Amino acid sequence: MFDESDRTAVADAVTEMLTTGALTLGPWTERFEQAFAAEHGASHAVAVASGTAALEIVLRTVGVRDRDVVVPAVTFYATAGAVLHAGGRPVLADVDPETLALSPQTLEAALTPDTAAVVLVHIGGLITPDVDGLRAVCDRRGIPLVEDAAHAHGSGYQGRTAGSFGLAGAFSFYPTKVTTSGEGGMILTESAELRDEARIYRDQGKGSFTTNHHVRFGASWRMSELNAAVGTVHLRRLKEFVETRRRVAQRYDAALVGLDGMRPVLEPAGCRSNYYKYVALLPPGVDRAAFKRAVAEEFGVRLSGEVYDLPLHHQPVFGPYRGAPLPVAEDVCARQVCLPVHSDMTEDETDQVISAVSAVHGRLAG
Ligand SMILES: *Cc1c(COP(=O)(O)O)cnc(C)c1O
């Protein structure tokens, strides 16, 4: 959602950059980095070409080549894809059924003698209350914790924000995320060393912007000034977007807890999700495809994409990394639906979804 004032602000920025000719790694990139860091209370931010690039850069800086990296099986392709691109081996771990995230137990079960890093994913924008416990497991072994915070712009836990729980957080500004830059990503970190490395990696591994000494095996991972301007303008709306999303989620919570066998993923105490997605598990035995078809055809309600409908170890491309069965991941992927949440969603639209879901639930789960 870009309202008229947002569109005007972007148009003015584009006019300015076409006039000055500063089209990459210029003042808008810096502005976006500063604003995003401030929004999350982080010391350093490095803007890059995508969320996947943000993850790969952090993993390359850590050094995961020919070593294991723990990744939850419930996540997007890119979380494990970035591990492989950085030269590491993804070890897919099971998740907690209440938060859809790693738990200290599922993490312990996936650690190997050669674990180089652990990636925690804040599914749907929810930061697990186990985050400190996960950090403690990592600290005991001296393993860096990395956050895939692609879903979690502005999400928090006990007053701390996404991106602040480990070595670094990787964010995405793909158009479906809570705020977008068209395409883009951001690394947040407290480490000045990681910030400096990330700046080198994103620009073809060059030692500095103006020299041609390539000191790292980087790539073309810069964010363009056009993307940075869109991202900076959109970020101004983050707080308002999250408020709207949270109001929608509260209405869903109140309605769904009354539906027999339906299990919405509720916010544990201390958590403040941005509700990138509103996830609910259908009662066991209810056919998801039939459920989605019924709410669409009979009520005109289109559910959003799942997070995710298939665990990574069942994705063909990760076949070689398939280990023991991961029963919770398999169950939560098979049973989840995501109710629509938009940053400008009204109460009437929310109630229309609730009516549709309640009616179809009554029929299919009854
Ligand atoms: C969107 C997403 C990414 C990748 O972000 P891109 O900007 O598309 O590269 C990585 N991880 C998760 C969990 C995502 O949802």
Side-chain angles (χ1 to χ4, degrees), residues 172-196:
S172 164
F173 303 107
Y174 186 74
T176 58
K177 314 292 184 187
V178 173
T179 63
T180 182
S181 60
E183 295 279 3
M186 190 80 76
I187 297 165
L188 292 186
T189 183
E190 293 308 297
S191 161
E193 207 181 318
L194 194 146
R195 173 204 61 198
D196 293 343

Side-chain angles (χ1 to χ4, degrees), residues 50-52 55 75-76 78-79 121 148 150-151 172-174 177 184 308:
S50 70
T52 312
L55 278 170
T75 184
F76 183 54
T79 316
V121 185
D148 179 338
H151 294 187
S172 164
F173 303 107
Y174 186 74
K177 314 292 184 187
Y308 288 84

